[in-house]
Every structure is written in structure tokens, then in C-alpha cells.
Amino acid sequence: MFLGEHRHVLDEKGRLTIPARFREELGSPFILTRGLDGSLFAYPLGAWRTLERRLRSLPFTRKEVRAFTRLLFAGAVEVEPDRQGRINIPPNLAAYAGLTKNVVVVGVSARVEIWDEARWEAYVAEGEAKYTDLAESLIDLDLDEGWEDSGADIP
């Protein structure tokens, strides 16, 4: 599971150092693609294959399914960190995410997200103002289900 937020600087060649903890779980190579909300998503190969199977099961006759899968897969590349743990971010993906010099690498459960620092800070500021409302809106998803079997208390 990916957790936490790490701040990094793109080097003069546009390379990004992936935090060591994330590199281990991402494996090598891993998939980098367009994310949502102006970020990039990085997936271990196994998680990417699971996502691909789920998307393949959706009806391709639906316009929004075709559009989303085209953009997701067209932007996807296999990346392999070098010995220092750096990856090259393709120019089209860097432009999509608006990456400048300062970058935030965020662990989000089964994936890693890569954000331009200014965009991330704006997203967090907006999200924190709505955090309680967001949590309450998720009640319909039955997030409580399964906690009783885990031995953990519901937070």
C-alpha cells in the first residue's frame, strides 16, 4: 500500500526521483499514465493489469468508456527507474500534469500520484475545506462494511 507525500525537484534533465519506499512496491518497470485532476498515476504492473481487465469488461459501445480508455492507455508508458531511482517523464505527460520544477509524489493506496507542487497545494487547500462533507458523501458506498471482520475499530 502506498502512503504519504514526498516533495522532490525535477533535475535539469526533467528526471524525477521516486521515493525508495515507493520504488520497492512499484517494481521495475511500472506504468506511468495520465491521472485525474491534473496528476499522473503510477501503477505496479499487477495493479495495471487488474485495472485493464476491469476496463475491458466495460461496454465499449458507451462513448465515455471509449474516450476514457483511449486517453488512459494512449498516455501510458512503461518506465524503469535508473540506479538512483530516477525516471524520465515523457514530455506529453509532464505537460498534461503541468509539471514544473517542484513536484509532489503522493501515495494513494494502490497507486502513486505525481503532482506539480502548486497544483497539489491548491487541490489540498480546496479539499481540506470540504473534507468532512466528502466523508459524509461517501456514506452511500458502505465503507463500514467489512470492518467488523477485520478486528479493527471503525475510525
Side-chain angles (χ1 to χ4, degrees), residues 37 120 122-144:
D37 304 311
W120 172 251
Y123 182 84
V124 168
E126 181 181 329
E128 285 177 343
K130 302 180 208 173
Y131 191 63
T132 300
D133 293 336
L134 290 169
E136 289 175 1
S137 72
L138 297 179
I139 199 150
D140 293 337
L141 297 178
D142 291 328
L143 294 177
D144 294 345

Side-chain angles (χ1 to χ4, degrees), residues 6-152:
H6 306 271
R7 295 178 186 266
H8 290 275
V9 175
L10 293 175
D11 71 11
E12 64 281 346
K13 295 182 181 179
R15 296 175 297 194
L16 173 67
T17 300
I18 300 296
R21 183 178 306 154
F22 289 176
R23 281 196 311 268
E24 288 177 26
E25 196 167 337
L26 280 168
S28 184
F30 61 86
I31 303 297
L32 184 67
T33 191
R34 289 180 184 96
L36 300 176
D37 304 311
S39 69
L40 300 179
F41 287 174
Y43 292 96
L45 289 178
W48 177 255
R49 288 183 183 118
T50 298
L51 175 62
E52 189 271 333
R53 279 192 304 274
R54 288 180 179 170
L55 291 172
R56 198 171 358 131
S57 72
L58 298 174
F60 75 92
T61 54
R62 293 188 60 179
K63 185 177 184 176
E64 63 272 13
V65 170
R66 291 191 311 273
F68 179 77
T69 54
R70 281 181 187 134
L71 290 170
L72 184 73
F73 283 85
V77 294
E78 276 190 12
V79 294
E80 205 160 337
D82 65 15
R83 292 177 194 220
Q84 288 77 39
R86 299 172 301 192
I87 61 167
N88 288 316
I89 299 178
N92 64 317
L93 291 179
Y96 169 80
L99 299 182
T100 55
K101 186 173 178 112
N102 297 313
V103 175
V104 182
V105 182
V106 182
V108 186
S109 186
R111 72 176 175 271
V112 171
E113 296 183 357
I114 299 169
W115 290 78
D116 177 74
E117 183 179 60
R119 187 176 277 181
W120 172 251
E121 288 174 355
Y123 182 84
V124 168
E126 181 181 329
E128 285 177 343
K130 302 180 208 173
Y131 191 63
T132 300
D133 293 336
L134 290 169
E136 289 175 1
S137 72
L138 297 179
I139 199 150
D140 293 337
L141 297 178
D142 291 328
L143 294 177
D144 294 345
E145 195 171 301
W147 282 90
E148 61 277 355
D149 299 330
S150 70

